[in-house]
């Protein structure tokens, strides 16, 4: 059962991050779909509620949630499944919750928790990395069983 | 013997108008990424290992950044001005704290609550060469109801408001003028959206400032006023005070400058009364003798009268001129 996700995948992206593309694209079993929503805090009856909506109007300071959904449509277990999201130009990883992610501050060369990373501050010295330094976020799943699906997300703030 | 009336000449009491330009208010921090910027995100996944590693990419999601309408205004002038002054220059700074180029409509309101007097606004002018000096002919006059030229995001424009003081302002009265700047695209409650009107082709959204801001400049009026009093004392040849021929009359002219300003080009003159003759060499200022001849000192005296140049005299000062005449 092919969903129309395959069509979306076939007409995909402008940014080729890695040259080793699979040769038989129609046979590969993983579907990958990206999405973005605007997140706002709404107060209703005195309680705060997070409301997600389509990003129609977006201005600096707005909060976005980027998500990547995956599904294994094949019959074999997929191993060492790593989803990588570059932080786009114009946004920064939101500080709240940043400490839980596996991140890179050097363009994807090295990875770790934010608390363990540092950046150079221009004149030879280094300082601890902060959420605004993050260039990539990634998730590592040891395996994805046939038929399994999931979604990984990260919070961002429009600079 | 008749007393004559001494005369007091005073040039227009003009206190130097100092454009007391406070340190230029630092522009409020701009709202980040430029309006029209496309935020694009594509995810990549890999799986497997070694020669069997597969890489796939997701679709690209795109978000366009809309224009945030935000502005800040700072009043730069808080100064003293002489009562009756015209063409007084009030300076303000307008900062575009949004993220897209925007023009702003300006309103100068002289009727601020608490004013002792109300100035008349003559012109709004843009400091075109941004040198902090009002230069007619160089700086751009904004016709009433027109907006400023567009200001780039995170940039400022200095505006001069030219005002005249009304008549009848007294020493120590103060007046404020409020300059309001409103985004030309629109203002309103934060979050109000103007579809399709944003810089970069998106929408324009009112930011936290409501896309409108204002600030006040203050003028404290000073007025120096001068009063002149004349007294005479008589010493007759017989040790008495009778105004008889041969008696010497000493005239004392007291000029008092009051108020918080200065009297400029102050000059005291008096005519020698008919029936008397000036006693040469008796002209004095604050007890110091002045020569009768017209020379470098402040006084001149002749058979017809005396004149003493006092120049600029600050409020709270008293000057005393004395001279003698003998009754014919």
């Amino acid at each position: 059962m092919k969903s129309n996700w395959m069509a979306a995948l076939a007409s995909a992206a402008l940014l080729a991050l890695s040259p080793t593309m699979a040769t038989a694209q129609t046979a590969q079993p993983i579907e990958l779909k990206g999405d973005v929503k605007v997140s706002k805090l709404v107060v209703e009856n005195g309680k705060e509620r997070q409301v997600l909506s389509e990003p129609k109007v977006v201005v600096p300071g707005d909060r976005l949630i980027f998500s990547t959904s995956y599904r294994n449509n094949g019959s074999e277990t997929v191993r060492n499944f790593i989803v990588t999201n570059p932080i786009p130009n114009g946004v920064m990883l939101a500080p709240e919750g940043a400490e839980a992610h596996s991140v890179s501050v050097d363009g994807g060369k090295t990875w770790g928790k934010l608390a363990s990373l540092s950046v150079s501050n221009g004149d030879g010295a280094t300082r601890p990395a902060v959420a605004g330094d993050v260039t990539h976020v990634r998730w590592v799943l040891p395996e994805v069983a046939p038929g399994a699906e999931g979604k990984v997300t990260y919070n961002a703030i429009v600079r | 013997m008749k007393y004559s009336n001494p005369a007091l000449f005073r040039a227009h009491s003009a206190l130097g108008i100092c454009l007391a330009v406070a340190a230029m208010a630092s522009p409020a921090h701009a709202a980040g990424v430029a309006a029209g910027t496309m935020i694009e995100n594509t995810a990549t996944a890999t799986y497997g290992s070694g020669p069997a590693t597969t890489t796939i990419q997701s679709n690209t999601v795109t978000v366009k950044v809309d224009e945030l309408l935000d502005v800040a205004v700072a009043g730069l002038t808080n100064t003293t001005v002489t009562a009756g002054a015209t063409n007084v220059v009030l300076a303000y700074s307008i900062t575009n704290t949004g993220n897209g180029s925007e023009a702003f409509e300006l309103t100068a309101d002289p009727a601020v609550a608490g004013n002792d007097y109300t100035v008349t606004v003559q012109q709004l002018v843009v400091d075109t060469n941004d040198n902090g000096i009002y230069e007619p002919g160089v700086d751009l006059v904004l016709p009433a109801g027109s907006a400023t030229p567009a200001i780039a995001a995170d940039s400022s424009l200095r505006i001069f408001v030219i005002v005249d003081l009304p008549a009848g302002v007294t020493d120590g009265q103060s007046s404020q003028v409020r300059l309001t700047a409103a985004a030309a695209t629109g203002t309103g409650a934060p979050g109000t959206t103007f579809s399709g009107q944003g810089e970069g082709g998106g929408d324009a959204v009112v930011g936290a400032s409501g896309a409108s801001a204002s600030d006040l400049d203050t003028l404290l009026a000073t007025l120096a006023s001068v009063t002149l009093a004349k007294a005479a004392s008589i010493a007759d040849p017989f040790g008495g005070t009778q105004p008889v021929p041969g008696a010497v009359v000493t005239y004392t002219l007291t000029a008092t400058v009051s108020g918080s300003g200065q009297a400029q080009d102050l000059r005291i003159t008096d005519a020698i009364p008919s029936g008397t003759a000036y006693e040469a060499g008796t002209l004095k200022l604050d007890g110091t003798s002045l020569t009768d001849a017209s020379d470098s000192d402040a006084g001149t005296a002749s058979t017809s009268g005396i004149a003493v140049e006092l120049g600029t005299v600050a409020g709270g000062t008293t000057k005393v001129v004395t001279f003698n005449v003998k009754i014919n």
Side-chain angles (χ1 to χ4, degrees):
Chain A
M1 173 193 67
K2 295 244 191 295
S3 75
N4 50 12
W5 282 19
M6 283 310 225
L9 201 58
S11 61
L14 325 158
L15 217 59
L17 288 179
S18 162
T20 57
M21 294 294 285
T23 48
Q25 279 213 17
T26 48
Q28 80 82 20
I30 298 290
E31 295 175 8
L32 206 59
K33 185 169 189 292
D35 190 29
V36 62
K37 294 276 190 288
V38 176
S39 162
K40 282 194 171 20
L41 273 184
V42 170
V43 178
E44 262 177 35
N45 301 323
K47 295 183 89 159
E48 275 189 346
R49 199 161 69 84
Q50 185 190 50
V51 173
L52 298 183
S53 52
E54 287 305 310
K56 294 208 176 53
V57 177
V58 169
V59 290
D62 278 354
R63 296 190 159 249
L64 301 175
I65 298 187
F66 288 94
S67 62
T68 308
S69 305
Y70 59 88
R71 185 160 75 190
N72 183 355
N73 285 328
S75 54
E76 307 273 316
T77 295
V78 155
R79 300 189 193 280
N80 197 29
F81 185 63
I82 305 176
V83 179
T84 303
N85 250 295
I87 307 287
N89 213 14
V91 307
M92 59 175 269
L93 183 64
E96 313 79 39
E99 67 280 355
H101 287 296
S102 173
V103 298
S104 171
V105 295
D106 59 7
K109 298 194 203 63
T110 62
W111 298 89
K113 290 282 194 293
L114 191 58
S116 69
L117 302 175
S118 46
V119 293
S120 72
N121 63 4
D123 54 356
T126 62
R127 59 162 176 83
V130 295
D133 297 320
V134 172
T135 60
H136 293 74
V137 183
R138 79 174 183 183
W139 298 263
V140 179
L141 288 80
E143 48 183 62
V144 182
E149 60 184 13
K151 184 161 76 169
V152 289
T153 68
Y154 71 93
N155 293 352
I157 303 175
V158 180
R159 289 187 188 274
Chain B
M1 182 194 69
K2 278 169 63 162
Y3 285 15
S4 64
N5 288 327
L8 199 64
F9 292 99
R10 173 160 57 94
H12 180 69
S13 234
L15 186 69
I17 291 163
C18 62
L19 244 193
V21 180
M24 189 73 169
S26 57
H29 192 70
V33 64
T37 300
M38 303 299 276
I39 296 171
E40 295 177 336
N41 189 216
T42 312
T44 306
T46 63
Y47 58 89
S49 51
T53 303
T54 306
T55 302
I56 52 177
Q57 288 190 3
S58 73
N59 52 312
T60 299
V61 291
T62 304
V63 174
K64 178 189 269 200
V65 178
D66 296 293
E67 181 185 353
L68 200 57
L69 300 170
D70 256 332
V71 66
V73 176
L76 304 176
T77 305
N78 183 343
T79 188
T80 55
V81 66
T82 306
T86 58
N87 294 317
V88 178
V89 180
L90 301 176
Y92 302 79
S93 136
I94 318 278
T95 303
N96 179 358
T97 50
N99 68 336
S101 177
E102 184 73 19
F104 296 88
E105 290 166 0
L106 302 182
T107 314
D109 181 11
V112 174
N115 276 358
D116 295 325
Y117 62 93
T118 303
V119 301
T120 308
V121 175
Q122 297 298 349
Q123 274 188 343
L124 269 64
V125 181
V126 177
D127 184 9
T128 306
N129 55 5
D130 197 31
N131 64 355
I133 303 168
Y134 169 50
E135 295 161 301
V138 173
D139 292 328
L140 172 75
V141 175
L142 292 177
S146 67
T148 66
I151 306 178
D154 209 14
S155 294
S156 299
L157 205 63
R158 190 187 337 242
I159 301 292
F160 298 124
V161 178
I162 314 300
V163 303
D164 289 346
L165 268 65
V169 176
T170 59
D171 189 52
Q173 289 192 313
S174 94
S175 178
Q176 293 186 305
V177 177
R178 180 181 297 282
L179 184 70
T180 303
T185 300
T187 63
T192 304
T193 302
F194 299 94
S195 279
Q197 293 180 50
E199 222 15 59
D203 296 338
V205 182
V206 175
S209 71
S212 175
S214 72
D215 203 8
L216 298 166
D217 275 352
T218 305
L219 290 174
L220 181 67
T222 67
L223 188 61
S225 54
V226 187
T227 55
L228 189 65
K230 180 171 179 175
S233 65
I234 307 176
D236 67 32
F238 317 110
T241 58
Q242 296 300 310
V244 297
V248 172
V249 182
T250 302
Y251 289 111
T252 303
L253 306 174
T254 307
T256 306
V257 182
S258 51
S260 53
Q262 296 176 323
Q264 289 198 339
D265 295 332
L266 190 58
R267 187 166 172 246
I268 297 179
T269 64
D270 203 4
I272 306 300
S274 60
T276 72
Y278 171 66
E279 299 237 283
T282 59
L283 184 59
K284 288 186 187 170
L285 171 62
D286 290 337
T288 305
S289 286
L290 302 174
T291 61
D292 294 339
S294 172
D295 53 21
S296 59
D297 76 5
T300 51
S302 66
T303 54
S304 55
I306 62 102
V308 178
E309 307 285 346
L310 299 174
T312 300
V313 182
T317 310
T318 301
K319 297 283 185 193
V320 180
V321 169
T322 58
F323 66 97
N324 294 352
V325 304
K326 184 179 279 190
I327 300 177
N328 294 345

